[in-house]
Amino acid sequence: METFLLKALQLIMSLSILVLVHEFGHFIFARMFKVRVEKFYLFFDAWFALFRFKPKGSDTEYGIGWLPLGGYCKISGMIDESMDKEQMSQEPQPYEFRSKPAGQRLLIMVGGVLFNFILALFIYSMILFAWGDTYVPLKNMKHGMYYSETFHNIGFEDGDILLKADNEDLERLDESNIRKIMEADQVTVLRNGAAVNIAIPDDIMQRLLRDKKVFANQMRIPMVVKEVENENSPAAIAGLQPGDSIVSINDQLTVLYEDVQEMLAKNKDADITVGFYRNGALQSTVLHTDTAGRMGVYGVGSLAKLYGSVTNTYGFFASFPAGAKLGINTLKGYVNDMKYVFTKEGASSLGGFGAIGSLFPATWDWRSFWMTTAFLSIILAFMNILPIPALDGGHVMFLIYEVITRRKPSDKFLEYAQVAGMLLLFGLLIYANGNDLFRFFFK
Protein backbone atom coordinates (compact mmCIF):
# COMPACT_ATOMS: atom_id res chain seq x y z
CA MET A 1 0.00 0.00 0.00
CA GLU A 2 2.86 2.38 0.83
CA THR A 3 4.44 1.77 -2.58
CA PHE A 4 1.09 2.36 -4.32
CA LEU A 5 0.53 5.65 -2.46
CA LEU A 6 4.06 6.86 -3.20
CA LYS A 7 3.71 6.12 -6.91
CA ALA A 8 0.25 7.72 -6.95
CA LEU A 9 1.64 10.87 -5.29
CA GLN A 10 4.44 11.10 -7.84
CA LEU A 11 1.97 10.57 -10.69
CA ILE A 12 -0.35 13.33 -9.46
CA MET A 13 2.54 15.74 -8.87
CA SER A 14 4.03 15.07 -12.29
CA LEU A 15 0.75 15.35 -14.20
CA SER A 16 -0.17 18.52 -12.30
CA ILE A 17 3.09 20.17 -13.42
CA LEU A 18 2.60 19.04 -17.02
CA VAL A 19 -1.04 20.12 -17.20
CA LEU A 20 -0.33 23.55 -15.71
CA VAL A 21 2.55 24.16 -18.14
CA HIS A 22 0.48 22.91 -21.09
CA GLU A 23 -2.49 25.11 -20.32
CA PHE A 24 -0.22 28.07 -19.56
CA GLY A 25 1.11 27.71 -23.12
CA HIS A 26 -2.41 28.27 -24.45
CA PHE A 27 -3.02 31.02 -21.89
CA ILE A 28 0.09 33.08 -22.62
CA PHE A 29 -0.46 33.11 -26.40
CA ALA A 30 -4.16 33.93 -25.94
CA ARG A 31 -3.33 36.91 -23.73
CA MET A 32 -0.55 37.96 -26.13
CA PHE A 33 -3.15 38.31 -28.87
CA LYS A 34 -5.71 39.89 -26.53
CA VAL A 35 -8.05 36.89 -26.50
CA ARG A 36 -10.14 36.56 -23.34
CA VAL A 37 -9.49 33.49 -21.18
CA GLU A 38 -12.56 32.74 -19.08
CA LYS A 39 -11.18 29.88 -16.98
CA PHE A 40 -7.78 28.43 -16.12
CA TYR A 41 -8.15 25.16 -14.20
CA LEU A 42 -6.00 22.35 -12.92
CA PHE A 43 -8.19 19.22 -13.11
CA PHE A 44 -11.80 19.30 -14.25
CA ASP A 45 -14.51 21.07 -12.27
CA ALA A 46 -17.61 19.21 -13.47
CA TRP A 47 -20.47 20.33 -11.14
CA PHE A 48 -18.13 21.81 -8.53
CA ALA A 49 -14.55 22.91 -7.86
CA LEU A 50 -12.28 22.42 -4.88
CA PHE A 51 -10.99 25.97 -5.23
CA ARG A 52 -11.80 28.95 -7.38
CA PHE A 53 -10.55 32.54 -7.46
CA LYS A 54 -11.17 35.47 -9.77
CA PRO A 55 -8.90 38.49 -9.24
CA LYS A 56 -10.53 41.89 -9.17
CA GLY A 57 -10.66 43.39 -12.64
CA SER A 58 -9.70 40.10 -14.31
CA ASP A 59 -11.72 38.22 -16.92
CA THR A 60 -10.17 34.89 -15.87
CA GLU A 61 -11.32 32.56 -13.11
CA TYR A 62 -8.55 30.36 -11.70
CA GLY A 63 -9.31 27.13 -9.89
CA ILE A 64 -8.68 23.50 -9.02
CA GLY A 65 -11.27 20.91 -10.02
CA TRP A 66 -12.01 17.64 -8.27
CA LEU A 67 -11.53 15.28 -11.24
CA PRO A 68 -7.75 14.70 -11.76
CA LEU A 69 -7.90 13.78 -15.46
CA GLY A 70 -6.13 16.84 -16.79
CA GLY A 71 -7.06 20.51 -16.85
CA TYR A 72 -8.28 23.16 -19.22
CA CYS A 73 -8.01 26.74 -20.36
CA LYS A 74 -11.45 28.02 -21.51
CA ILE A 75 -10.89 30.53 -24.28
CA SER A 76 -13.76 32.80 -25.38
CA GLY A 77 -15.21 32.07 -28.79
CA MET A 78 -13.68 28.65 -29.21
CA ILE A 79 -15.36 25.29 -29.64
CA ASP A 80 -13.71 23.06 -27.03
CA GLU A 81 -14.63 20.45 -24.42
CA SER A 82 -16.94 22.94 -22.66
CA MET A 83 -19.27 22.82 -25.71
CA ASP A 84 -20.52 26.34 -24.93
CA LYS A 85 -23.08 26.54 -27.75
CA GLU A 86 -24.81 29.60 -26.26
CA GLN A 87 -21.68 31.72 -26.60
CA MET A 88 -21.04 30.45 -30.11
CA SER A 89 -24.60 31.35 -31.21
CA GLN A 90 -23.98 35.05 -30.49
CA GLU A 91 -22.22 37.57 -32.69
CA PRO A 92 -18.41 37.26 -32.59
CA GLN A 93 -16.68 39.75 -30.28
CA PRO A 94 -13.25 41.34 -30.93
CA TYR A 95 -11.77 39.59 -27.86
CA GLU A 96 -12.86 36.11 -28.97
CA PHE A 97 -10.72 33.38 -30.45
CA ARG A 98 -12.87 33.06 -33.59
CA SER A 99 -12.36 36.77 -34.39
CA LYS A 100 -8.59 36.52 -34.63
CA PRO A 101 -6.54 35.78 -37.78
CA ALA A 102 -5.83 32.13 -38.49
CA GLY A 103 -2.11 32.59 -37.78
CA GLN A 104 -2.79 33.86 -34.27
CA ARG A 105 -5.30 31.09 -33.60
CA LEU A 106 -2.72 28.56 -34.79
CA LEU A 107 -0.12 29.85 -32.31
CA ILE A 108 -2.65 29.75 -29.48
CA MET A 109 -3.43 26.12 -30.25
CA VAL A 110 0.20 24.94 -30.52
CA GLY A 111 1.18 26.88 -27.39
CA GLY A 112 0.46 23.97 -25.05
CA VAL A 113 2.45 21.45 -27.09
CA LEU A 114 5.32 23.90 -27.51
CA PHE A 115 5.53 24.60 -23.77
CA ASN A 116 5.45 20.90 -22.91
CA PHE A 117 8.32 20.21 -25.28
CA ILE A 118 10.34 23.17 -23.97
CA LEU A 119 9.66 21.98 -20.40
CA ALA A 120 11.02 18.51 -21.24
CA LEU A 121 14.20 19.97 -22.73
CA PHE A 122 14.64 22.23 -19.69
CA ILE A 123 14.16 19.36 -17.23
CA TYR A 124 16.62 17.15 -19.10
CA SER A 125 19.14 20.01 -19.11
CA MET A 126 18.80 20.62 -15.37
CA ILE A 127 19.12 16.88 -14.64
CA LEU A 128 22.42 16.82 -16.55
CA PHE A 129 23.57 19.97 -14.78
CA ALA A 130 22.64 18.72 -11.30
CA TRP A 131 23.51 15.01 -11.53
CA GLY A 132 25.50 14.61 -14.71
CA ASP A 133 25.18 11.53 -16.87
CA THR A 134 26.42 8.39 -15.11
CA TYR A 135 26.46 4.95 -16.67
CA VAL A 136 28.28 1.62 -16.47
CA PRO A 137 30.02 0.75 -19.78
CA LEU A 138 28.79 -2.54 -21.21
CA LYS A 139 32.36 -3.67 -21.76
CA ASN A 140 32.93 -3.53 -17.99
CA MET A 141 30.09 -5.94 -17.24
CA LYS A 142 32.21 -9.05 -17.58
CA HIS A 143 29.41 -11.39 -16.48
CA GLY A 144 26.90 -10.08 -19.01
CA MET A 145 23.20 -10.24 -18.21
CA TYR A 146 20.18 -12.52 -18.02
CA TYR A 147 18.14 -12.30 -21.23
CA SER A 148 14.40 -12.81 -21.54
CA GLU A 149 12.93 -15.97 -23.02
CA THR A 150 12.12 -14.12 -26.24
CA PHE A 151 15.80 -13.34 -26.79
CA HIS A 152 16.86 -16.84 -25.76
CA ASN A 153 14.68 -18.09 -28.61
CA ILE A 154 16.64 -16.11 -31.20
CA GLY A 155 20.07 -17.19 -29.98
CA PHE A 156 21.08 -15.11 -26.96
CA GLU A 157 22.54 -16.87 -23.92
CA ASP A 158 22.74 -15.65 -20.33
CA GLY A 159 26.15 -14.11 -19.81
CA ASP A 160 26.50 -12.69 -23.32
CA ILE A 161 28.22 -9.30 -23.29
CA LEU A 162 26.77 -6.84 -25.83
CA LEU A 163 29.34 -5.43 -28.26
CA LYS A 164 27.70 -4.10 -31.43
CA ALA A 165 24.38 -3.55 -33.16
CA ASP A 166 25.23 -4.08 -36.84
CA ASN A 167 28.59 -2.26 -37.02
CA GLU A 168 27.88 0.32 -34.31
CA ASP A 169 29.50 -0.10 -30.89
CA LEU A 170 27.11 -0.43 -27.94
CA GLU A 171 28.60 1.64 -25.15
CA ARG A 172 25.82 1.53 -22.57
CA LEU A 173 22.47 -0.09 -21.87
CA ASP A 174 19.80 2.57 -22.28
CA GLU A 175 16.62 3.10 -24.30
CA SER A 176 18.54 4.41 -27.30
CA ASN A 177 20.85 1.39 -27.52
CA ILE A 178 18.07 -1.11 -26.82
CA ARG A 179 16.22 0.44 -29.77
CA LYS A 180 19.34 0.02 -31.92
CA ILE A 181 19.39 -3.66 -30.97
CA MET A 182 15.72 -4.08 -31.92
CA GLU A 183 16.26 -2.43 -35.31
CA ALA A 184 19.57 -4.12 -36.17
CA ASP A 185 20.01 -6.95 -38.66
CA GLN A 186 22.47 -8.61 -36.32
CA VAL A 187 23.96 -8.06 -32.87
CA THR A 188 27.49 -9.04 -31.90
CA VAL A 189 28.09 -10.37 -28.39
CA LEU A 190 31.12 -11.65 -26.52
CA ARG A 191 30.56 -15.25 -25.40
CA ASN A 192 33.27 -17.28 -23.66
CA GLY A 193 35.90 -14.91 -25.01
CA ALA A 194 34.76 -15.13 -28.65
CA ALA A 195 32.63 -12.75 -30.75
CA VAL A 196 29.29 -14.27 -31.82
CA ASN A 197 26.85 -12.75 -34.32
CA ILE A 198 23.12 -13.16 -33.65
CA ALA A 199 20.51 -12.41 -36.33
CA ILE A 200 17.65 -10.17 -35.17
CA PRO A 201 14.27 -11.00 -36.77
CA ASP A 202 12.21 -8.14 -38.22
CA ASP A 203 9.30 -8.84 -35.86
CA ILE A 204 11.33 -8.89 -32.63
CA MET A 205 9.34 -6.02 -31.10
CA GLN A 206 6.04 -7.73 -31.84
CA ARG A 207 7.40 -10.91 -30.23
CA LEU A 208 8.33 -9.02 -27.07
CA LEU A 209 4.90 -7.41 -26.89
CA ARG A 210 3.17 -10.74 -27.56
CA ASP A 211 5.26 -12.59 -24.97
CA LYS A 212 4.97 -9.65 -22.54
CA LYS A 213 8.73 -9.80 -22.03
CA VAL A 214 11.49 -7.23 -21.71
CA PHE A 215 14.84 -7.28 -23.50
CA ALA A 216 16.82 -8.46 -20.47
CA ASN A 217 15.79 -9.32 -16.93
CA GLN A 218 18.81 -8.05 -15.02
CA MET A 219 22.58 -7.83 -14.94
CA ARG A 220 24.58 -10.78 -13.70
CA ILE A 221 26.56 -9.60 -10.70
CA PRO A 222 29.32 -11.31 -8.75
CA MET A 223 29.10 -12.03 -5.03
CA VAL A 224 31.30 -9.38 -3.46
CA VAL A 225 31.03 -8.78 0.29
CA LYS A 226 29.86 -5.27 1.09
CA GLU A 227 29.90 -5.77 4.85
CA VAL A 228 29.80 -8.50 7.46
CA GLU A 229 26.52 -8.63 9.36
CA ASN A 230 28.04 -8.61 12.88
CA GLU A 231 31.05 -9.88 14.76
CA ASN A 232 29.22 -13.07 15.81
CA SER A 233 28.05 -14.03 12.33
CA PRO A 234 29.50 -17.16 10.66
CA ALA A 235 31.30 -14.98 8.10
CA ALA A 236 32.96 -12.81 10.76
CA ILE A 237 34.09 -15.84 12.76
CA ALA A 238 35.54 -17.35 9.56
CA GLY A 239 37.42 -14.14 8.76
CA LEU A 240 35.54 -12.85 5.71
CA GLN A 241 35.96 -9.12 5.11
CA PRO A 242 34.37 -6.36 3.02
CA GLY A 243 35.70 -6.53 -0.54
CA ASP A 244 36.13 -10.31 -0.58
CA SER A 245 34.83 -11.78 -3.83
CA ILE A 246 33.31 -15.22 -3.25
CA VAL A 247 33.98 -17.58 -6.17
CA SER A 248 33.31 -21.08 -4.82
CA ILE A 249 31.51 -23.07 -2.14
CA ASN A 250 32.63 -26.62 -1.46
CA ASP A 251 34.83 -26.41 -4.57
CA GLN A 252 31.82 -25.65 -6.79
CA LEU A 253 32.10 -22.42 -8.78
CA THR A 254 29.79 -19.69 -7.46
CA VAL A 255 30.84 -16.68 -9.52
CA LEU A 256 27.46 -14.96 -9.33
CA TYR A 257 25.33 -13.79 -6.41
CA GLU A 258 22.57 -16.20 -7.45
CA ASP A 259 25.04 -19.11 -7.46
CA VAL A 260 26.03 -18.40 -3.85
CA GLN A 261 22.39 -18.17 -2.77
CA GLU A 262 21.61 -21.49 -4.45
CA MET A 263 24.53 -23.28 -2.74
CA LEU A 264 23.70 -21.83 0.66
CA ALA A 265 20.10 -23.06 0.31
CA LYS A 266 21.51 -26.59 -0.12
CA ASN A 267 23.80 -26.29 2.92
CA LYS A 268 21.72 -25.14 5.86
CA ASP A 269 23.29 -25.57 9.31
CA ALA A 270 26.38 -27.13 7.73
CA ASP A 271 30.13 -26.63 7.42
CA ILE A 272 31.10 -25.20 4.03
CA THR A 273 34.41 -24.27 2.42
CA VAL A 274 34.28 -20.79 0.91
CA GLY A 275 36.76 -19.80 -1.79
CA PHE A 276 37.28 -16.07 -2.31
CA TYR A 277 39.60 -13.51 -3.82
CA ARG A 278 41.16 -10.86 -1.57
CA ASN A 279 43.55 -8.30 -3.04
CA GLY A 280 43.96 -10.51 -6.11
CA ALA A 281 44.94 -13.63 -4.17
CA LEU A 282 42.76 -16.76 -4.03
CA GLN A 283 42.03 -17.86 -0.44
CA SER A 284 39.61 -20.16 1.36
CA THR A 285 38.01 -20.53 4.77
CA VAL A 286 35.55 -22.84 6.51
CA LEU A 287 32.38 -21.57 8.14
CA HIS A 288 29.20 -23.02 9.59
CA THR A 289 25.95 -21.66 8.10
CA ASP A 290 22.93 -20.96 10.29
CA THR A 291 19.65 -22.89 10.13
CA ALA A 292 18.40 -20.63 7.33
CA GLY A 293 21.49 -21.26 5.22
CA ARG A 294 22.91 -17.78 5.79
CA MET A 295 26.53 -16.91 6.46
CA GLY A 296 25.95 -13.34 7.60
CA VAL A 297 27.17 -11.02 4.84
CA TYR A 298 25.64 -8.30 2.70
CA GLY A 299 26.57 -8.30 -0.99
CA VAL A 300 27.45 -5.27 -3.08
CA GLY A 301 24.39 -4.66 -5.26
CA SER A 302 25.54 -1.51 -7.05
CA LEU A 303 26.65 -2.06 -10.65
CA ALA A 304 28.69 1.14 -10.47
CA LYS A 305 30.66 -0.12 -7.46
CA LEU A 306 31.14 -3.59 -8.91
CA TYR A 307 32.08 -2.69 -12.47
CA GLY A 308 33.03 0.97 -12.34
CA SER A 309 31.05 3.82 -13.86
CA VAL A 310 31.63 6.75 -16.18
CA THR A 311 30.18 10.18 -15.36
CA ASN A 312 29.87 12.99 -17.88
CA THR A 313 29.43 16.33 -16.10
CA TYR A 314 27.97 19.50 -17.60
CA GLY A 315 28.25 23.14 -16.70
CA PHE A 316 25.12 25.29 -16.62
CA PHE A 317 25.35 26.53 -20.21
CA ALA A 318 26.71 23.26 -21.61
CA SER A 319 23.75 21.39 -20.13
CA PHE A 320 21.25 23.04 -22.50
CA PRO A 321 22.50 21.63 -25.84
CA ALA A 322 23.04 18.25 -24.14
CA GLY A 323 19.52 18.35 -22.67
CA ALA A 324 18.06 19.38 -26.02
CA LYS A 325 19.82 16.46 -27.72
CA LEU A 326 18.51 14.04 -25.10
CA GLY A 327 14.96 15.39 -25.44
CA ILE A 328 14.98 15.27 -29.24
CA ASN A 329 16.34 11.70 -29.25
CA THR A 330 13.67 10.71 -26.74
CA LEU A 331 10.97 12.19 -28.97
CA LYS A 332 12.37 10.42 -32.05
CA GLY A 333 12.40 7.11 -30.21
CA TYR A 334 8.85 7.52 -28.94
CA VAL A 335 7.54 8.51 -32.39
CA ASN A 336 9.31 5.50 -33.89
CA ASP A 337 7.75 3.17 -31.30
CA MET A 338 4.26 4.47 -32.06
CA LYS A 339 4.08 2.26 -35.15
CA TYR A 340 3.75 -0.77 -32.88
CA VAL A 341 0.56 0.63 -31.31
CA PHE A 342 -1.28 -0.25 -34.52
CA THR A 343 -0.41 -3.93 -34.23
CA LYS A 344 -2.44 -6.49 -32.29
CA GLU A 345 0.40 -6.95 -29.80
CA GLY A 346 0.89 -3.21 -29.37
CA ALA A 347 -2.79 -2.50 -28.79
CA SER A 348 -2.95 -5.11 -26.04
CA SER A 349 0.04 -3.50 -24.30
CA LEU A 350 -1.58 -0.05 -24.06
CA GLY A 351 -1.93 1.18 -20.50
CA GLY A 352 -3.67 3.96 -18.61
CA PHE A 353 -2.92 5.68 -15.33
CA GLY A 354 -1.73 2.44 -13.74
CA ALA A 355 0.87 1.91 -16.46
CA ILE A 356 1.99 5.54 -16.23
CA GLY A 357 2.24 5.32 -12.43
CA SER A 358 4.41 2.22 -12.71
CA LEU A 359 7.06 4.32 -14.47
CA PHE A 360 7.85 6.01 -11.17
CA PRO A 361 10.22 4.36 -8.65
CA ALA A 362 8.95 2.63 -5.51
CA THR A 363 11.19 4.83 -3.36
CA TRP A 364 11.46 8.60 -3.58
CA ASP A 365 14.24 9.68 -5.89
CA TRP A 366 14.25 13.20 -7.33
CA ARG A 367 16.36 12.34 -10.36
CA SER A 368 14.03 9.49 -11.33
CA PHE A 369 10.99 11.69 -10.70
CA TRP A 370 12.25 14.44 -13.00
CA MET A 371 13.43 11.98 -15.67
CA THR A 372 9.96 10.41 -15.75
CA THR A 373 8.27 13.83 -15.75
CA ALA A 374 10.39 14.95 -18.70
CA PHE A 375 9.52 11.76 -20.57
CA LEU A 376 5.80 12.22 -19.87
CA SER A 377 6.05 15.83 -21.05
CA ILE A 378 7.43 14.55 -24.37
CA ILE A 379 4.55 12.06 -24.60
CA LEU A 380 1.95 14.71 -23.74
CA ALA A 381 3.33 17.07 -26.38
CA PHE A 382 3.34 14.41 -29.09
CA MET A 383 -0.07 12.94 -28.26
CA ASN A 384 -1.69 16.39 -28.18
CA ILE A 385 -0.41 17.34 -31.62
CA LEU A 386 -1.96 14.27 -33.26
CA PRO A 387 -4.64 15.34 -35.78
CA ILE A 388 -7.56 14.05 -33.72
CA PRO A 389 -10.58 16.31 -33.10
CA ALA A 390 -10.77 17.39 -29.42
CA LEU A 391 -6.97 17.41 -29.21
CA ASP A 392 -4.84 20.46 -30.03
CA GLY A 393 -3.72 18.69 -33.18
CA GLY A 394 -7.32 18.45 -34.36
CA HIS A 395 -7.78 22.22 -34.04
CA VAL A 396 -4.44 22.75 -35.81
CA MET A 397 -5.55 20.44 -38.63
CA PHE A 398 -8.69 22.51 -39.25
CA LEU A 399 -6.72 25.77 -39.01
CA ILE A 400 -4.22 24.56 -41.60
CA TYR A 401 -7.17 23.61 -43.83
CA GLU A 402 -8.52 27.14 -43.39
CA VAL A 403 -5.17 28.73 -44.27
CA ILE A 404 -4.76 26.59 -47.40
CA THR A 405 -8.33 26.77 -48.73
CA ARG A 406 -9.17 30.20 -47.29
CA ARG A 407 -12.42 28.64 -46.13
CA LYS A 408 -13.29 28.28 -42.47
CA PRO A 409 -15.12 25.08 -41.40
CA SER A 410 -18.59 25.85 -40.06
CA ASP A 411 -19.18 25.99 -36.31
CA LYS A 412 -21.67 23.14 -36.64
CA PHE A 413 -19.05 20.95 -38.31
CA LEU A 414 -16.50 21.82 -35.61
CA GLU A 415 -19.05 20.94 -32.91
CA TYR A 416 -19.66 17.51 -34.44
CA ALA A 417 -15.92 16.95 -34.85
CA GLN A 418 -15.34 17.93 -31.20
CA VAL A 419 -17.98 15.45 -30.00
CA ALA A 420 -16.59 12.67 -32.20
CA GLY A 421 -13.08 13.34 -30.95
CA MET A 422 -14.17 13.34 -27.31
CA LEU A 423 -15.99 10.03 -27.77
CA LEU A 424 -12.87 8.53 -29.37
CA LEU A 425 -10.64 9.77 -26.55
CA PHE A 426 -13.01 8.50 -23.86
CA GLY A 427 -13.09 5.14 -25.60
CA LEU A 428 -9.27 4.98 -25.67
CA LEU A 429 -9.16 6.05 -22.01
CA ILE A 430 -11.54 3.29 -21.00
CA TYR A 431 -9.69 0.70 -23.10
CA ALA A 432 -6.24 1.64 -21.78
CA ASN A 433 -7.32 1.67 -18.14
CA GLY A 434 -9.27 -1.53 -18.73
CA ASN A 435 -5.98 -3.11 -19.83
CA ASP A 436 -4.44 -1.97 -16.55
CA LEU A 437 -7.22 -3.60 -14.54
CA PHE A 438 -7.02 -6.81 -16.56
CA ARG A 439 -3.25 -7.05 -16.03
CA PHE A 440 -3.67 -6.31 -12.32
CA PHE A 441 -6.28 -9.03 -11.67
CA PHE A 442 -5.26 -11.65 -14.21
CA LYS A 443 -1.51 -11.28 -14.66
Side-chain angles (χ1 to χ4, degrees), residues 18 60 70 74-75 86 97 113 201-202 236 277 423 425 431 438:
L18 300 184
T60 307
K74 188 177 186 308
I75 297 174
E86 181 179 348
F97 176 83
V113 168
D202 294 336
Y277 277 97
L423 290 175
L425 293 178
Y431 176 78
F438 181 84

Side-chain angles (χ1 to χ4, degrees), residues 22 233 379 415 436:
H22 181 90
S233 67
I379 293 176
E415 287 177 10
D436 284 347

